[in-house]
Amino acid sequence: MDIKKTVEAEESFLISLRRHFHENPELSQQEFQTMDFIEETLHGWGISTVRVPRGGIFGMIDSGKDGWTVLMRADIDALPIEENPKNLACEKVCLSKNHGVSHACGHDGHTAMLLTAAKILAAHKDEWEGKVLLMFEEAEEMGERGVGHLLSYLDEKKIHVDACYGTHMMYCLPAGKVAVMYDGVLAGAFFYRVKIHGKSGHGSMPSLAVSPIDCFNTFYMALQSYRMRKVSPRNCLTYSFGMVQAGDTPNVIPDELTFAGTARCFVNEDGLSFREDFWKLLKDICDNYGCTAEIMEDQYFPVTANNKECVDLARKAIAERVGDVMEDTDPWMASETFAITESTYPGIFTFTGVKNEALGTGANHHTPEFDIDESGLKVGVEAALAYILAMLEEKPEIKSFHKEDLKLMLERAE
């Protein structure tokens, strides 16, 4: 297959798909019309589908010849963000029609690229061996994440997967470039939300109260030295508190305080150790102050880490079949549910460039100004096909992959 020529012939279709999804965004666990459209489109190409409740859609392209099964994934949900009609410099080429909801992260592009790749693979089944499993994932952004239902379905049905592939729009990478990097590309993430219960009292007699504010303040200060004491200087670990709420009257000590935040890392052992120490420290300080801690959220998503053999193969295949389109970028401290998929099956997660200063694209993800240079989508599809076809053909031995326990990962991510 001449990948560049084949994808170029589908570019207008690819862009029309992206604009359709961009104009019709749906929030996590509400992607009903999006999934209807995806299934109707796949069925039109003779691709069978399964809709997994609260998970998403699987589609299977079977070449009819024995070989590997490679999974390709796209996330399909949007964000509760009102879109700005302008990006950093220009009017946007298309806008969300759903008030207060927009694809401010690029999932519209992910879905359009995967559908276009599926169309091409289905039309050229005589040119490759094996199967390609398409995974359209609900609720990557928030709420009850769809990845657990999808991977549990594959596990229950004993559907074997040899390798996986995913990509994400990258706001700071030039359009026309893709980044295929070694090791960790997206951070592991610990999400926490806690309500500290104390005892209310009048501000004139604090000795009769049990202040959750004092308790939280001691906990917050005790964490300040954690990074220096517990994390290797070679490793990265950050944490932040994005929300602290307590009381509404200046002369009344409240009976509860709620706080929430996240921690990020690029070594899972560091993140899991921080999570364990975090809860132990909180319990000890609450006990000292006579408070109790109600854990409202405790989620851990692993590092999204690429396997060396898969990166080696991808870089070689893209260079040979697509051309000089690769450019490294810094690892991203954001997190991804694809980390669980890539900890279950060997593979890669790439970045697809969408920045173009002349077009005003390059605003950060999850902002009203976020926009993409649609020309970058074509290169994203080309790179994906180059990797998938090379993987199906070469079937490399992936010695660097160590499968993680799916049940344990999903328990941590609940």
Side-chain angles (χ1 to χ4, degrees), residues 276-313:
E276 181 179 353
D277 292 343
F278 181 97
W279 294 125
K280 182 178 184 301
L281 180 64
L282 179 63
K283 182 182 184 304
D284 290 346
I285 291 175
C286 282
D287 287 345
N288 288 339
Y289 274 81
C291 294
T292 58
E294 176 187 353
I295 299 173
M296 304 169 69
E297 182 178 0
D298 174 15
Q299 286 187 317
Y300 183 81
F301 289 89
V303 177
T304 306
N306 291 339
N307 296 111
K308 179 184 182 303
E309 297 87 348
C310 297
V311 175
D312 288 342
L313 182 144

mmCIF file of all heavy atoms in Angstrom, residues 276-313:
data_model
loop_
_atom_site.group_PDB
_atom_site.id
_atom_site.type_symbol
_atom_site.label_atom_id
_atom_site.label_comp_id
_atom_site.label_asym_id
_atom_site.label_seq_id
_atom_site.Cartn_x
_atom_site.Cartn_y
_atom_site.Cartn_z
ATOM 1 N N GLU A 276 0.432 5.953 49.160
ATOM 2 C CA GLU A 276 0.388 5.228 50.440
ATOM 3 C C GLU A 276 0.783 6.142 51.606
ATOM 4 O O GLU A 276 0.106 6.169 52.649
ATOM 5 C CB GLU A 276 1.328 4.026 50.371
ATOM 6 C CG GLU A 276 1.354 3.182 51.631
ATOM 7 C CD GLU A 276 2.286 1.994 51.521
ATOM 8 O OE1 GLU A 276 2.814 1.748 50.419
ATOM 9 O OE2 GLU A 276 2.502 1.314 52.546
ATOM 10 N N ASP A 277 1.868 6.893 51.445
ATOM 11 C CA ASP A 277 2.333 7.788 52.514
ATOM 12 C C ASP A 277 1.348 8.927 52.752
ATOM 13 O O ASP A 277 1.191 9.408 53.885
ATOM 14 C CB ASP A 277 3.709 8.349 52.167
ATOM 15 C CG ASP A 277 4.798 7.286 52.187
ATOM 16 O OD1 ASP A 277 4.556 6.210 52.768
ATOM 17 O OD2 ASP A 277 5.879 7.531 51.616
ATOM 18 N N PHE A 278 0.714 9.398 51.686
ATOM 19 C CA PHE A 278 -0.281 10.467 51.768
ATOM 20 C C PHE A 278 -1.408 10.070 52.726
ATOM 21 O O PHE A 278 -1.765 10.815 53.646
ATOM 22 C CB PHE A 278 -0.819 10.727 50.356
ATOM 23 C CG PHE A 278 -1.850 11.818 50.236
ATOM 24 C CD1 PHE A 278 -1.478 13.093 49.847
ATOM 25 C CD2 PHE A 278 -3.195 11.556 50.453
ATOM 26 C CE1 PHE A 278 -2.432 14.093 49.696
ATOM 27 C CE2 PHE A 278 -4.152 12.549 50.307
ATOM 28 C CZ PHE A 278 -3.770 13.828 49.927
ATOM 29 N N TRP A 279 -1.960 8.883 52.511
ATOM 30 C CA TRP A 279 -3.087 8.453 53.349
ATOM 31 C C TRP A 279 -2.641 8.145 54.777
ATOM 32 O O TRP A 279 -3.383 8.421 55.735
ATOM 33 C CB TRP A 279 -3.760 7.228 52.731
ATOM 34 C CG TRP A 279 -4.425 7.497 51.410
ATOM 35 C CD1 TRP A 279 -4.208 6.855 50.235
ATOM 36 C CD2 TRP A 279 -5.410 8.502 51.140
ATOM 37 N NE1 TRP A 279 -4.991 7.382 49.242
ATOM 38 C CE2 TRP A 279 -5.740 8.385 49.772
ATOM 39 C CE3 TRP A 279 -6.047 9.469 51.905
ATOM 40 C CZ2 TRP A 279 -6.678 9.220 49.158
ATOM 41 C CZ3 TRP A 279 -6.978 10.305 51.296
ATOM 42 C CH2 TRP A 279 -7.286 10.182 49.948
ATOM 43 N N LYS A 280 -1.450 7.598 54.952
ATOM 44 C CA LYS A 280 -0.960 7.315 56.301
ATOM 45 C C LYS A 280 -0.726 8.614 57.078
ATOM 46 O O LYS A 280 -1.125 8.739 58.250
ATOM 47 C CB LYS A 280 0.334 6.509 56.235
ATOM 48 C CG LYS A 280 0.903 6.112 57.601
ATOM 49 C CD LYS A 280 2.158 5.271 57.456
ATOM 50 C CE LYS A 280 2.651 4.790 58.827
ATOM 51 N NZ LYS A 280 2.955 5.905 59.750
ATOM 52 N N LEU A 281 -0.093 9.592 56.425
ATOM 53 C CA LEU A 281 0.161 10.872 57.069
ATOM 54 C C LEU A 281 -1.133 11.570 57.431
ATOM 55 O O LEU A 281 -1.281 12.132 58.534
ATOM 56 C CB LEU A 281 1.007 11.751 56.140
ATOM 57 C CG LEU A 281 1.373 13.142 56.656
ATOM 58 C CD1 LEU A 281 2.274 13.034 57.890
ATOM 59 C CD2 LEU A 281 2.069 13.949 55.555
ATOM 60 N N LEU A 282 -2.096 11.543 56.531
ATOM 61 C CA LEU A 282 -3.378 12.189 56.800
ATOM 62 C C LEU A 282 -4.061 11.551 58.003
ATOM 63 O O LEU A 282 -4.591 12.262 58.881
ATOM 64 C CB LEU A 282 -4.274 12.099 55.568
ATOM 65 C CG LEU A 282 -5.669 12.711 55.713
ATOM 66 C CD1 LEU A 282 -5.579 14.225 55.958
ATOM 67 C CD2 LEU A 282 -6.525 12.425 54.477
ATOM 68 N N LYS A 283 -4.073 10.231 58.071
ATOM 69 C CA LYS A 283 -4.712 9.552 59.200
ATOM 70 C C LYS A 283 -4.014 9.909 60.521
ATOM 71 O O LYS A 283 -4.687 10.201 61.534
ATOM 72 C CB LYS A 283 -4.676 8.035 58.999
ATOM 73 C CG LYS A 283 -5.374 7.261 60.120
ATOM 74 C CD LYS A 283 -5.286 5.769 59.919
ATOM 75 C CE LYS A 283 -6.074 5.036 61.008
ATOM 76 N NZ LYS A 283 -5.634 5.413 62.368
ATOM 77 N N ASP A 284 -2.680 9.889 60.512
ATOM 78 C CA ASP A 284 -1.941 10.198 61.734
ATOM 79 C C ASP A 284 -2.240 11.609 62.223
ATOM 80 O O ASP A 284 -2.458 11.830 63.434
ATOM 81 C CB ASP A 284 -0.438 10.039 61.500
ATOM 82 C CG ASP A 284 -0.017 8.583 61.317
ATOM 83 O OD1 ASP A 284 -0.833 7.689 61.643
ATOM 84 O OD2 ASP A 284 1.108 8.347 60.841
ATOM 85 N N ILE A 285 -2.260 12.576 61.321
ATOM 86 C CA ILE A 285 -2.503 13.971 61.728
ATOM 87 C C ILE A 285 -3.945 14.157 62.160
ATOM 88 O O ILE A 285 -4.227 14.869 63.140
ATOM 89 C CB ILE A 285 -2.112 14.918 60.580
ATOM 90 C CG1 ILE A 285 -0.586 14.905 60.405
ATOM 91 C CG2 ILE A 285 -2.613 16.342 60.841
ATOM 92 C CD1 ILE A 285 -0.079 15.706 59.234
ATOM 93 N N CYS A 286 -4.878 13.519 61.461
ATOM 94 C CA CYS A 286 -6.280 13.612 61.887
ATOM 95 C C CYS A 286 -6.449 13.015 63.294
ATOM 96 O O CYS A 286 -7.163 13.582 64.138
ATOM 97 C CB CYS A 286 -7.188 12.878 60.891
ATOM 98 S SG CYS A 286 -7.513 13.799 59.382
ATOM 99 N N ASP A 287 -5.783 11.899 63.551
ATOM 100 C CA ASP A 287 -5.868 11.297 64.889
ATOM 101 C C ASP A 287 -5.321 12.253 65.944
ATOM 102 O O ASP A 287 -5.897 12.399 67.039
ATOM 103 C CB ASP A 287 -5.074 9.989 64.925
ATOM 104 C CG ASP A 287 -5.760 8.857 64.160
ATOM 105 O OD1 ASP A 287 -6.958 9.003 63.854
ATOM 106 O OD2 ASP A 287 -5.083 7.848 63.870
ATOM 107 N N ASN A 288 -4.220 12.903 65.638
ATOM 108 C CA ASN A 288 -3.615 13.837 66.586
ATOM 109 C C ASN A 288 -4.524 15.018 66.886
ATOM 110 O O ASN A 288 -4.515 15.551 68.002
ATOM 111 C CB ASN A 288 -2.273 14.349 66.054
ATOM 112 C CG ASN A 288 -1.194 13.284 66.104
ATOM 113 O OD1 ASN A 288 -1.299 12.315 66.853
ATOM 114 N ND2 ASN A 288 -0.151 13.461 65.299
ATOM 115 N N TYR A 289 -5.297 15.425 65.893
ATOM 116 C CA TYR A 289 -6.166 16.594 66.071
ATOM 117 C C TYR A 289 -7.577 16.232 66.522
ATOM 118 O O TYR A 289 -8.398 17.114 66.754
ATOM 119 C CB TYR A 289 -6.250 17.390 64.766
ATOM 120 C CG TYR A 289 -5.132 18.400 64.602
ATOM 121 C CD1 TYR A 289 -3.881 18.010 64.152
ATOM 122 C CD2 TYR A 289 -5.326 19.741 64.941
ATOM 123 C CE1 TYR A 289 -2.846 18.918 64.017
ATOM 124 C CE2 TYR A 289 -4.299 20.658 64.809
ATOM 125 C CZ TYR A 289 -3.066 20.248 64.346
ATOM 126 O OH TYR A 289 -2.041 21.153 64.223
ATOM 127 N N GLY A 290 -7.869 14.950 66.605
ATOM 128 C CA GLY A 290 -9.220 14.543 66.977
ATOM 129 C C GLY A 290 -10.210 14.661 65.834
ATOM 130 O O GLY A 290 -11.424 14.750 66.053
ATOM 131 N N CYS A 291 -9.712 14.655 64.607
ATOM 132 C CA CYS A 291 -10.558 14.725 63.417
ATOM 133 C C CYS A 291 -10.644 13.347 62.756
ATOM 134 O O CYS A 291 -9.911 12.412 63.111
ATOM 135 C CB CYS A 291 -9.993 15.716 62.407
ATOM 136 S SG CYS A 291 -9.999 17.445 62.943
ATOM 137 N N THR A 292 -11.535 13.226 61.791
ATOM 138 C CA THR A 292 -11.605 12.030 60.960
ATOM 139 C C THR A 292 -11.582 12.447 59.499
ATOM 140 O O THR A 292 -12.029 13.547 59.153
ATOM 141 C CB THR A 292 -12.880 11.213 61.235
ATOM 142 O OG1 THR A 292 -14.028 12.038 60.998
ATOM 143 C CG2 THR A 292 -12.898 10.693 62.663
ATOM 144 N N ALA A 293 -11.063 11.564 58.656
ATOM 145 C CA ALA A 293 -10.963 11.855 57.225
ATOM 146 C C ALA A 293 -11.895 10.931 56.448
ATOM 147 O O ALA A 293 -11.818 9.703 56.575
ATOM 148 C CB ALA A 293 -9.529 11.677 56.736
ATOM 149 N N GLU A 294 -12.769 11.522 55.662
ATOM 150 C CA GLU A 294 -13.661 10.769 54.776
ATOM 151 C C GLU A 294 -13.071 10.837 53.361
ATOM 152 O O GLU A 294 -13.006 11.914 52.763
ATOM 153 C CB GLU A 294 -15.064 11.372 54.807
ATOM 154 C CG GLU A 294 -16.035 10.707 53.852
ATOM 155 C CD GLU A 294 -17.370 11.437 53.782
ATOM 156 O OE1 GLU A 294 -17.590 12.374 54.573
ATOM 157 O OE2 GLU A 294 -18.187 11.074 52.907
ATOM 158 N N ILE A 295 -12.662 9.698 52.835
ATOM 159 C CA ILE A 295 -12.052 9.666 51.502
ATOM 160 C C ILE A 295 -13.163 9.617 50.460
ATOM 161 O O ILE A 295 -13.916 8.648 50.365
ATOM 162 C CB ILE A 295 -11.116 8.453 51.352
ATOM 163 C CG1 ILE A 295 -9.985 8.532 52.377
ATOM 164 C CG2 ILE A 295 -10.551 8.378 49.935
ATOM 165 C CD1 ILE A 295 -9.101 7.295 52.413
ATOM 166 N N MET A 296 -13.245 10.660 49.666
ATOM 167 C CA MET A 296 -14.286 10.771 48.647
ATOM 168 C C MET A 296 -13.779 10.358 47.264
ATOM 169 O O MET A 296 -14.567 9.968 46.402
ATOM 170 C CB MET A 296 -14.820 12.207 48.618
ATOM 171 C CG MET A 296 -15.325 12.685 49.971
ATOM 172 S SD MET A 296 -15.658 14.458 50.010
ATOM 173 C CE MET A 296 -17.085 14.557 48.941
ATOM 174 N N GLU A 297 -12.490 10.492 47.040
ATOM 175 C CA GLU A 297 -11.899 10.076 45.767
ATOM 176 C C GLU A 297 -10.467 9.631 46.008
ATOM 177 O O GLU A 297 -9.712 10.294 46.704
ATOM 178 C CB GLU A 297 -11.922 11.222 44.750
ATOM 179 C CG GLU A 297 -11.372 10.846 43.384
ATOM 180 C CD GLU A 297 -11.442 11.979 42.377
ATOM 181 O OE1 GLU A 297 -11.918 13.078 42.728
ATOM 182 O OE2 GLU A 297 -11.011 11.767 41.223
ATOM 183 N N ASP A 298 -10.125 8.499 45.420
ATOM 184 C CA ASP A 298 -8.772 7.951 45.524
ATOM 185 C C ASP A 298 -8.520 7.147 44.259
ATOM 186 O O ASP A 298 -8.852 5.962 44.175
ATOM 187 C CB ASP A 298 -8.646 7.061 46.770
ATOM 188 C CG ASP A 298 -7.304 6.337 46.848
ATOM 189 O OD1 ASP A 298 -6.372 6.722 46.126
ATOM 190 O OD2 ASP A 298 -7.207 5.366 47.630
ATOM 191 N N GLN A 299 -7.970 7.797 43.243
ATOM 192 C CA GLN A 299 -7.731 7.159 41.956
ATOM 193 C C GLN A 299 -6.251 7.220 41.609
ATOM 194 O O GLN A 299 -5.612 8.255 41.826
ATOM 195 C CB GLN A 299 -8.506 7.862 40.834
ATOM 196 C CG GLN A 299 -10.004 7.610 40.817
ATOM 197 C CD GLN A 299 -10.637 8.204 39.575
ATOM 198 O OE1 GLN A 299 -10.320 9.319 39.172
ATOM 199 N NE2 GLN A 299 -11.532 7.475 38.959
ATOM 200 N N TYR A 300 -5.757 6.135 41.030
ATOM 201 C CA TYR A 300 -4.385 6.152 40.522
ATOM 202 C C TYR A 300 -4.357 5.555 39.119
ATOM 203 O O TYR A 300 -4.799 4.422 38.904
ATOM 204 C CB TYR A 300 -3.416 5.373 41.416
ATOM 205 C CG TYR A 300 -1.995 5.471 40.904
ATOM 206 C CD1 TYR A 300 -1.224 6.593 41.193
ATOM 207 C CD2 TYR A 300 -1.449 4.486 40.078
ATOM 208 C CE1 TYR A 300 0.058 6.728 40.689
ATOM 209 C CE2 TYR A 300 -0.159 4.614 39.579
ATOM 210 C CZ TYR A 300 0.584 5.740 39.881
ATOM 211 O OH TYR A 300 1.846 5.885 39.370
ATOM 212 N N PHE A 301 -3.861 6.344 38.161
ATOM 213 C CA PHE A 301 -3.647 5.876 36.795
ATOM 214 C C PHE A 301 -2.152 5.765 36.557
ATOM 215 O O PHE A 301 -1.401 6.688 36.874
ATOM 216 C CB PHE A 301 -4.272 6.839 35.782
ATOM 217 C CG PHE A 301 -5.771 6.809 35.761
ATOM 218 C CD1 PHE A 301 -6.504 7.633 36.598
ATOM 219 C CD2 PHE A 301 -6.443 5.928 34.927
ATOM 220 C CE1 PHE A 301 -7.896 7.605 36.594
ATOM 221 C CE2 PHE A 301 -7.831 5.882 34.918
ATOM 222 C CZ PHE A 301 -8.564 6.725 35.750
ATOM 223 N N PRO A 302 -1.687 4.655 35.995
ATOM 224 C CA PRO A 302 -0.248 4.462 35.822
ATOM 225 C C PRO A 302 0.355 5.372 34.757
ATOM 226 O O PRO A 302 -0.358 6.044 34.007
ATOM 227 C CB PRO A 302 -0.135 2.988 35.414
ATOM 228 C CG PRO A 302 -1.459 2.660 34.812
ATOM 229 C CD PRO A 302 -2.468 3.501 35.550
ATOM 230 N N VAL A 303 1.672 5.364 34.701
ATOM 231 C CA VAL A 303 2.413 6.086 33.672
ATOM 232 C C VAL A 303 2.111 5.469 32.311
ATOM 233 O O VAL A 303 2.028 4.245 32.174
ATOM 234 C CB VAL A 303 3.931 6.014 33.948
ATOM 235 C CG1 VAL A 303 4.731 6.700 32.846
ATOM 236 C CG2 VAL A 303 4.252 6.609 35.317
ATOM 237 N N THR A 304 1.916 6.309 31.298
ATOM 238 C CA THR A 304 1.775 5.824 29.924
ATOM 239 C C THR A 304 3.174 5.660 29.354
ATOM 240 O O THR A 304 3.848 6.648 29.037
ATOM 241 C CB THR A 304 0.966 6.812 29.068
ATOM 242 O OG1 THR A 304 -0.288 7.080 29.690
ATOM 243 C CG2 THR A 304 0.724 6.240 27.677
ATOM 244 N N ALA A 305 3.633 4.410 29.260
ATOM 245 C CA ALA A 305 5.023 4.132 28.904
ATOM 246 C C ALA A 305 5.096 3.254 27.655
ATOM 247 O O ALA A 305 4.411 2.231 27.564
ATOM 248 C CB ALA A 305 5.745 3.439 30.061
ATOM 249 N N ASN A 306 5.917 3.675 26.700
ATOM 250 C CA ASN A 306 6.078 2.948 25.445
ATOM 251 C C ASN A 306 7.139 1.863 25.560
ATOM 252 O O ASN A 306 8.136 2.031 26.262
ATOM 253 C CB ASN A 306 6.469 3.913 24.320
ATOM 254 C CG ASN A 306 5.341 4.853 23.940
ATOM 255 O OD1 ASN A 306 4.171 4.569 24.205
ATOM 256 N ND2 ASN A 306 5.681 5.959 23.306
ATOM 257 N N ASN A 307 6.925 0.772 24.840
ATOM 258 C CA ASN A 307 7.887 -0.326 24.817
ATOM 259 C C ASN A 307 8.953 -0.064 23.748
ATOM 260 O O ASN A 307 8.638 0.356 22.636
ATOM 261 C CB ASN A 307 7.186 -1.648 24.531
ATOM 262 C CG ASN A 307 6.219 -2.034 25.628
ATOM 263 O OD1 ASN A 307 5.011 -2.027 25.438
ATOM 264 N ND2 ASN A 307 6.747 -2.356 26.794
ATOM 265 N N LYS A 308 10.197 -0.341 24.098
ATOM 266 C CA LYS A 308 11.327 -0.022 23.224
ATOM 267 C C LYS A 308 11.187 -0.654 21.841
ATOM 268 O O LYS A 308 11.391 0.018 20.819
ATOM 269 C CB LYS A 308 12.643 -0.482 23.859
ATOM 270 C CG LYS A 308 13.875 -0.199 22.992
ATOM 271 C CD LYS A 308 15.131 -0.754 23.609
ATOM 272 C CE LYS A 308 16.346 -0.404 22.748
ATOM 273 N NZ LYS A 308 16.238 -0.885 21.355
ATOM 274 N N GLU A 309 10.843 -1.940 21.803
ATOM 275 C CA GLU A 309 10.758 -2.628 20.515
ATOM 276 C C GLU A 309 9.665 -2.017 19.629
ATOM 277 O O GLU A 309 9.826 -1.941 18.404
ATOM 278 C CB GLU A 309 10.472 -4.114 20.729
ATOM 279 C CG GLU A 309 11.568 -4.853 21.485
ATOM 280 C CD GLU A 309 11.403 -4.797 22.995
ATOM 281 O OE1 GLU A 309 10.566 -3.995 23.487
ATOM 282 O OE2 GLU A 309 12.098 -5.550 23.693
ATOM 283 N N CYS A 310 8.577 -1.577 20.241
ATOM 284 C CA CYS A 310 7.494 -0.962 19.476
ATOM 285 C C CYS A 310 7.910 0.403 18.941
ATOM 286 O O CYS A 310 7.573 0.767 17.810
ATOM 287 C CB CYS A 310 6.249 -0.844 20.347
ATOM 288 S SG CYS A 310 5.588 -2.440 20.898
ATOM 289 N N VAL A 311 8.633 1.172 19.758
ATOM 290 C CA VAL A 311 9.127 2.471 19.294
ATOM 291 C C VAL A 311 10.131 2.285 18.166
ATOM 292 O O VAL A 311 10.092 2.996 17.152
ATOM 293 C CB VAL A 311 9.747 3.262 20.460
ATOM 294 C CG1 VAL A 311 10.373 4.565 19.952
ATOM 295 C CG2 VAL A 311 8.700 3.570 21.526
ATOM 296 N N ASP A 312 11.036 1.326 18.330
ATOM 297 C CA ASP A 312 12.016 1.048 17.280
ATOM 298 C C ASP A 312 11.315 0.745 15.954
ATOM 299 O O ASP A 312 11.671 1.286 14.897
ATOM 300 C CB ASP A 312 12.895 -0.143 17.662
ATOM 301 C CG ASP A 312 13.888 0.174 18.774
ATOM 302 O OD1 ASP A 312 14.148 1.372 19.015
ATOM 303 O OD2 ASP A 312 14.393 -0.778 19.399
ATOM 304 N N LEU A 313 10.324 -0.139 16.019
ATOM 305 C CA LEU A 313 9.604 -0.529 14.813
ATOM 306 C C LEU A 313 8.850 0.653 14.215
ATOM 307 O O LEU A 313 8.859 0.867 12.993
ATOM 308 C CB LEU A 313 8.644 -1.678 15.132
ATOM 309 C CG LEU A 313 7.838 -2.255 13.968
ATOM 310 C CD1 LEU A 313 7.669 -3.761 14.116
ATOM 311 C CD2 LEU A 313 6.464 -1.595 13.868
#
